Amino acid sequence: KLAYIGMEICIDLIPKLVNKRDGRPLLRDYGKTWVYAYLPEITMHKVKSYVRAGTGWEISEEGIIEDPNRNLVAIEARMHDGLRQPKPSFWVVEDDDDDATSFNDSSSFSRIGSVQSVQKDTDQQQIHRGIGFFSVSMEKDGSSSKVKPIRGAKGVDDDATLVFTLTSFSTWGVTDSIAPIVYGASLYY
């Protein structure tokens, strides 16, 4: 593991397309073991530069989908399934008035369940804006967790993939200004 990080993000809890022939979702385990998280492009560039400065590894673009029109990137945020690690918590802001945009330092949050349970609630199947807390690690093709790859070694390129695992999400509302992603080649049946 590299670190834990909190970032302002949007998470997409909208169910994805279902195959009309067999009724299975086109994106395997979406909402159960992973969701799309959207974050500002500049935030991703900062994270990548910190990792590069701290480890010497270049970060590949695998799993990162760029939207240059909105200066956003989408990442595949993994989630624990609750078997060996707890499911990520979903928190909502408790506001004193009906204006959910009045978030301030004295605002508090209440846990309403896991991200997976909230995603099943049809009222919550939207894109939520808030703060996502992630554990961040790196993966290198051809390496196992027991063997650390040596950067610059013969036959080893200098690209590694960042892995974001969502541990908790605090929302202060939904947004309709982000077009959701409907296709992810790496997780397609």
Side-chain angles (χ1 to χ4, degrees), residues 90-109:
F90 192 95
W91 300 77
V92 294
V93 69
E94 289 183 347
D95 49 348
D96 295 332
D97 54 20
D98 291 334
D99 182 14
T101 61
S102 63
F103 179 73
N104 58 49
D105 290 340
S106 64
S107 297
S108 61
F109 290 85

Side-chain angles (χ1 to χ4, degrees), residues 157-172:
D157 65 16
D158 289 341
D159 284 350
T161 303
L162 284 179
V163 176
F164 294 89
T165 303
L166 186 64
T167 60
S168 183
F169 181 73
S170 301
T171 184
W172 52 78

Side-chain angles (χ1 to χ4, degrees), residues 126-157:
Q126 301 178 60
I127 296 177
H128 293 262
R129 183 173 179 206
I131 303 295
F133 298 93
F134 297 90
S135 66
V136 183
S137 59
M138 287 187 345
E139 287 182 350
K140 182 76 182 120
D141 285 340
S143 68
S144 71
S145 60
K146 297 176 186 170
V147 179
K148 291 186 178 182
I150 300 169
R151 194 173 75 79
K154 185 177 179 180
V156 176
D157 65 16

Side-chain angles (χ1 to χ4, degrees), residues 28-76:
R28 185 177 44 213
D29 293 331
Y30 189 83
K32 295 177 186 166
T33 61
W34 70 282
V35 292
Y36 280 120
Y38 307 100
L39 58 144
E41 194 172 40
I42 189 142
T43 302
M44 179 55 77
H45 288 299
K46 284 286 188 189
V47 170
K48 289 166 57 173
S49 71
Y50 291 150
V51 171
R52 188 179 320 110
T55 66
W57 288 92
E58 291 295 325
I59 304 304
S60 77
E61 296 296 316
E62 185 177 331
I64 300 172
I65 302 166
E66 295 186 21
D67 181 354
N69 295 322
R70 292 205 166 119
N71 296 322
L72 291 174
V73 297
I75 59 172
E76 296 169 4

